[in-house]
Amino acid sequence: MELTVWRTFVTVCRLGSLSAAATELNHTQSAVSRQIAGLERQLGVPLMERHARGVRPTPAGEVFRRHALATLNEADRAVRAVRDAHDGAFDRPLAVGATPSLAAGIVPEAIRGLLERAGSVRWSLLPGLSARLHHRVVAGDLDIAVVTDAPPGLPHDPRVERRFLGVDDMVVLLPVGHPQAGRGPVHIQTLADETWVEDNDGSAALLRQHAARAGVNARIDLTAADLPGKLALVATGHAIALIPGVLSHALRTDVTTVTLVDPPTRGIYTITPRHNPHPCAAPLLDQLATAFAPVRPAHSDIGSAGSGTGD
């Protein structure tokens, strides 16, 4: 299969129109239709279906779209890397990964510090959960990832270097106007009758463990697709949530936080590949350590083998 056809298919899916895709790709509409039809014949399944306002992928087409988009992105990355190598470019783009809460403020702050000191550096930031970020560091897609040891923890992996940054106290997110807002550290028992929302297994496990130690249950009755969805459900008064303390400075204005007595915590780590590290990885590590300086220190650095699967 030619990647040109894959690109045509992804473009049609994005625009929802054969004619709009033809215009963007500088093809005729009939040429776009023939490419899609040829792709369907090769795969043996229908990939597109018509609806009142255009076209959309079938369930099989949506599966193919996701894989095709990933393949096209990687192909583009390969082309850029080859051109950089041919041009003798030393400053290959710095690919950074971070969990959603860390990508919301701390990591961009560290990158700003890097740019102020290192000058012009091409870089990208990929948010994701720790397990996925670890996989991408090992695969060579990321030069550095900032992860956590939230459940299920950090497996050992000799292919990566791990550096401890600090400990993050979890806090409770409340809608503005909640009775507990502004009251200082509270016991989890005070919130036992509340409805909770969670967006990932790691945070939910921390909440359940903390509640169980206090002899109460945390009713996680709502599930959000991601961190912004979690914040929205709290802001509109549907629930409260456990969130990382490092996120507190980057919250929307219609929510607030309250600290817990003896709060659950998670360790924050960076992981980098053992071989062929990016030249800017070490300076960024220093900037990340500076950004985490206000975070409560932990007992010790636990070594350099492993990666994160926490959230």
Side-chain angles (χ1 to χ4, degrees):
M1 299 180 187
E2 294 185 7
L3 291 185
T4 299
V5 178
W6 289 29
R7 199 175 300 279
T8 298
F9 176 75
V10 168
T11 303
V12 171
C13 291
R14 174 168 55 84
L15 298 176
S17 165
L18 295 173
S19 59
T23 299
E24 180 171 306
L25 296 170
N26 198 26
H27 296 332
T28 64
Q29 183 171 336
S30 60
V32 170
S33 297
R34 287 196 300 272
Q35 290 182 52
I36 300 299
L39 189 57
E40 289 177 325
R41 284 194 300 271
Q42 284 182 290
L43 294 174
V45 294
L47 299 175
M48 284 288 179
E49 59 186 9
R50 293 190 176 277
H51 62 94
R53 291 175 293 181
V55 295
R56 61 189 169 207
T58 63
E62 175 59 23
V63 170
F64 182 74
R65 184 198 67 81
R66 292 198 299 267
H67 287 281
L69 182 59
T71 299
L72 290 169
N73 288 339
E74 185 61 25
D76 291 341
R77 182 171 177 267
V79 170
R80 290 194 299 270
V82 169
R83 287 174 178 168
D84 286 345
H86 180 266
D87 295 338
F90 181 71
D91 60 334
R92 74 175 191 260
L94 176 67
V96 183
T99 61
S101 60
L102 299 169
I106 296 293
V107 173
E109 178 185 341
I111 293 174
R112 181 179 63 182
L114 171 68
L115 297 178
E116 289 174 351
R117 288 158 179 78
S120 178
V121 177
R122 290 181 297 157
W123 60 278
S124 62
L125 176 59
L126 174 72
L129 298 184
S130 295
R132 179 61 176 164
L133 296 176
H134 163 253
H135 173 76
R136 299 201 70 163
V137 170
V138 172
D141 295 333
L142 293 176
D143 297 300
I144 182 172
V146 191
V147 298
T148 84
D149 63 1
L154 299 172
H156 289 284
D157 190 331
R159 295 170 294 182
V160 301
E161 297 277 353
R162 188 175 77 199
R163 176 176 175 177
F164 174 75
L165 290 176
V167 167
D168 183 25
D169 290 347
M170 305 294 285
V171 298
V172 177
L173 185 72
L174 305 171
V176 171
H178 189 281
Q180 295 300 326
R183 293 206 169 197
V186 301
H187 291 274
I188 189 67
Q189 293 94 326
T190 306
L191 305 170
D193 294 331
E194 298 277 355
T195 295
W196 296 77
V197 57
E198 281 303 340
D199 64 329
N200 65 74
D201 293 339
S203 182
L206 286 175
L207 174 59
R208 290 192 178 100
Q209 291 167 4
H210 181 70
R213 286 195 298 269
V216 296
N217 292 319
R219 292 179 20 239
I220 305 176
D221 292 339
L222 295 176
T223 301
D226 51 25
L227 183 58
K230 182 176 178 177
L231 299 182
L233 286 171
V234 173
T236 49
H238 294 291
I240 64 175
L242 192 70
I243 65 166
V246 294
L247 189 61
S248 298
H249 71 289
L251 292 173
R252 45 196 286 176
T253 57
D254 50 3
V255 294
T256 187
T257 61
V258 64
T259 57
L260 287 167
V261 174
D262 189 22
T265 63
R266 60 181 194 160
I268 309 297
Y269 300 82
T270 61
I271 54 174
T272 53
R274 279 191 180 275
H275 304 293
N276 192 30
H278 192 285
C280 289
L284 180 57
L285 284 171
D286 293 338
Q287 292 301 316
L288 287 165
T290 299
F292 276 87
V295 179
R296 179 167 61 85
H299 24 284
S300 65
D301 191 332
I302 62 175
S304 61
S307 85
T309 57
D311 306 313

